[in-house]
Amino acid sequence: MQTDSERFDVAIIGGGPGGSSTATMLAKAGKRVVVFEREKFPRFHIGESLLPGGWELWTRLGLGPKLEAENFPVKQGINFGMFNAPPETDTVLLTAEYPMFFDRSYAFHVERARFDEIMLEHAREHGADTRQEWTVHEVLFEGDTAVGVMAGPNGQPPHPVYAKVVVDASGRDCLLARKLGWRNPDPELNKIAHFTHFHGGWRRDPDSIMPKDAVMPTSTTTDIHAIEGGWIWYIPLRNDIVSVGAVLDARFAKTLGESPQERFEKAVASCVQVRGWLAGTEQTMEMHTIANISYLNDCFVGNGFVLVGDASMFIDPIFSAGVTIATRGGVYASDTILECFAANDFSAERLKAYETRIRLPMSRIFKMIYNWYRILERQDANNIISRARNIPMLRDRFITLLSGGYEKVDMEQIMAAADEADDSYLLR
């Protein structure tokens, strides 16, 4: 390794799903790629529920066999419980009902520490130079064009690493967006999340929600429960662990107590089903908190650089879209970057094709998220999710969108199927 300066085709900041997927695609295409990851993998991260819409991406990455080999719990759908209504009124949406829209009609519940490690190892196996415990201190510019980064092993002086393209996949740190003033928190989604893991929590019998011939080994669902002031997720993982989180309106959360643990416990206590499922369990992890959850940066590209994954936006976790969008962003960014190499043009104008492409799925899932929080604000028992139990077209469209089929259906089509006026919920 040179200590004065180095040169690559592409320098990537961050080794999460966005950075790793970009690195894999570009390295497979023969580009010299370096990935700088500040932490040592495996490391904890939230976002454990994946979507069937990820299969087309995992196939392009060549990642499918590795995911299958891990024996993660199989996720076949999502279950919505509304404001402590009886369990028999829950809305269960199973991708297997409409398998024609996806390569496979299931996904997984994963420990993100292991999932992200698999993705970064995969990039290295395809030729990317992956450097863990390296910090990128700044992006180097000549005028308004990114030309590389200043990076070095943690605790050591950095040195220049030059590249034709810099990919900022730095996660919620948003290295470039903060520097450029592009980070744009969403005041409509001023939420705070408290989350942890438990051992020994209740696990759903898959035979109770789907035909026996459709049940896969270790099959489960993601559970979402609306409560006053927010909602709770319940995600069964391997080794008898469940991930549980409470996502609350930031102002309401303050009424539940001072500490994250107290707020979480009071939120869980307010949900009859989840409270019962956790009775007698052992909390196995310290409480984690993410505040000011959602943001959508003003721009995703500039001369010589792109923003990918959480460095471009952070999606509220309600519909488990984060990993899928980050991976899709990495794949889309690599497609555009390869076109830039072919044209020897790395301008913002040329890179804009990536931003245009990734903003479509982002805009569609954000609209659904806005609708979800309007349902919570109104405590609407006759909401469009509940009505999907009895309206086939609405059910079809919901399952498609919430399984990650963002290019296949939009929120306006869902509202039409529900016979709901577009302006009755918050749409953008």
Side-chain angles (χ1 to χ4, degrees):
M1 182 189 71
Q2 293 176 255
T3 57
D4 50 352
S5 67
E6 301 177 89
R7 294 188 179 275
F8 289 85
D9 294 320
V10 182
I12 300 175
I13 309 167
S20 293
S21 56
T22 310
T24 295
M25 295 299 294
L26 292 173
K28 284 174 66 175
K31 299 305 175 186
R32 295 187 65 242
V33 180
V34 62
V35 181
F36 300 108
E37 169 54 50
R38 184 174 56 192
E39 298 185 62
K40 175 68 175 176
F41 282 23
R43 52 89 175 98
F44 174 78
H45 206 281
I46 199 60
E48 296 128 325
S49 179
L50 306 184
L51 301 179
W55 276 109
E56 63 176 288
L57 307 170
W58 303 330
T59 298
R60 284 197 64 185
L61 291 164
L63 201 62
K66 293 181 179 179
L67 297 182
E68 295 278 20
E70 283 290 314
N71 294 316
F72 291 123
V74 171
K75 171 190 170 182
Q76 291 195 262
I78 187 169
N79 180 80
F80 288 94
M82 294 290 178
F83 308 110
N84 286 321
E88 58 268 22
T89 66
D90 288 358
T91 300
V92 183
L93 302 174
L94 305 175
T95 312
E97 297 177 47
Y98 300 97
M100 69 290 293
F101 295 126
F102 301 97
D103 294 353
R104 305 188 195 187
S105 61
Y106 62 92
F108 303 103
H109 286 165
V110 302
E111 301 89 38
R112 279 291 302 280
R114 177 57 184 150
F115 176 81
D116 289 7
E117 183 181 40
I118 291 169
M119 291 199 72
L120 189 58
E121 288 176 349
H122 193 66
R124 179 183 55 78
E125 290 168 6
H126 281 83
D129 181 347
T130 59
R131 303 183 186 181
Q132 298 183 51
E133 298 181 287
W134 274 61
T135 296
V136 172
H137 294 257
E138 64 175 311
V139 176
L140 298 174
F141 281 85
E142 291 182 358
D144 64 355
T145 300
V147 296
V149 300
M150 288 291 291
N154 293 353
Q156 297 184 29
H159 65 268
V161 179
Y162 295 102
K164 294 286 189 181
V165 181
V166 174
V167 177
D168 183 357
S170 61
R172 288 175 59 84
D173 287 347
C174 294
L175 183 65
L176 273 172
R178 290 181 188 273
K179 174 184 176 65
L180 298 170
W182 290 355
R183 194 172 185 276
N184 187 21
D186 192 331
E188 296 289 347
L189 299 175
N190 182 23
K191 313 299 176 184
I192 188 168
H194 305 301
F195 48 92
T196 186
H197 286 175
F198 293 86
H199 181 265
W202 173 86
R203 301 176 92 83
R204 185 182 301 281
D205 176 5
D207 290 339
S208 68
I209 60 170
M210 66 188 81
K212 289 184 182 296
D213 60 359
V215 174
M216 301 176 65
T218 74
S219 179
T220 186
T221 63
T222 298
D223 260 86
I224 301 296
H225 292 268
I227 59 173
E228 182 183 3
W231 59 277
I232 294 173
W233 79 66
Y234 189 95
I235 300 173
L237 303 174
R238 291 187 293 194
N239 303 318
D240 206 20
I241 296 294
V242 293
S243 170
V244 185
V247 180
L248 305 167
D249 178 83
R251 290 158 295 189
F252 177 82
K254 294 178 181 178
T255 70
L256 299 182
E258 294 297 323
S259 73
Q261 185 74 36
E262 184 181 8
R263 294 173 180 177
F264 174 87
E265 290 176 357
K266 287 185 177 179
V268 168
S270 74
C271 181
V272 174
Q273 286 196 61
V274 176
R275 183 178 69 215
W277 295 347
L278 293 179
T281 61
E282 175 190 2
Q283 184 175 329
T284 61
M285 187 174 69
E286 65 181 3
M287 191 63 59
H288 289 259
T289 296
I290 298 177
N292 298 317
I293 287 180
S294 294
Y295 54 83
L296 184 62
N297 292 336
D298 294 333
C299 298
F300 298 172
V301 304
N303 292 323
F305 67 90
V306 301
L307 314 182
V308 168
D310 293 352
S312 60
M313 52 80 237
F314 191 80
I315 295 178
D316 187 281
I318 174 59
F319 300 121
S320 304
V323 173
T324 299
I325 291 290
T327 306
R328 191 175 296 277
V331 171
Y332 287 1
S334 64
D335 288 343
T336 298
I337 289 169
L338 290 173
E339 292 171 358
C340 290
F341 273 101
N344 194 29
D345 179 0
F346 305 97
S347 65
E349 182 178 2
R350 174 72 69 164
L351 289 165
K352 187 72 174 179
Y354 151 68
E355 179 170 345
T356 300
R357 194 177 177 193
I358 195 61
R359 277 195 183 270
L360 173 65
M362 282 183 182
S363 67
R364 290 184 172 177
I365 194 61
F366 263 100
K367 286 183 179 181
M368 183 62 234
I369 291 168
Y370 293 137
N371 272 265
W372 169 254
Y373 283 108
R374 183 57 62 89
I375 289 170
L376 297 192
E377 289 167 11
R378 296 178 175 183
Q379 296 196 17
D380 180 3
N382 186 37
N383 61 72
I384 57 176
I385 294 176
S386 296
R387 276 183 272 161
R389 297 174 65 230
N390 302 310
I391 303 176
M393 181 61 75
L394 178 58
R395 187 176 187 85
D396 173 331
R397 291 176 178 177
F398 253 132
I399 288 174
T400 302
L401 184 67
L402 297 187
S403 297
Y406 308 127
E407 284 87 354
K408 298 175 173 66
V409 64
D410 60 34
M411 197 60 211
E412 286 75 12
Q413 291 172 312
I414 286 175
M415 300 298 279
D419 195 24
E420 188 81 43
D422 282 354
D423 61 357
S424 66
Y425 286 85
L426 181 60
L427 286 175
R428 292 188 173 185

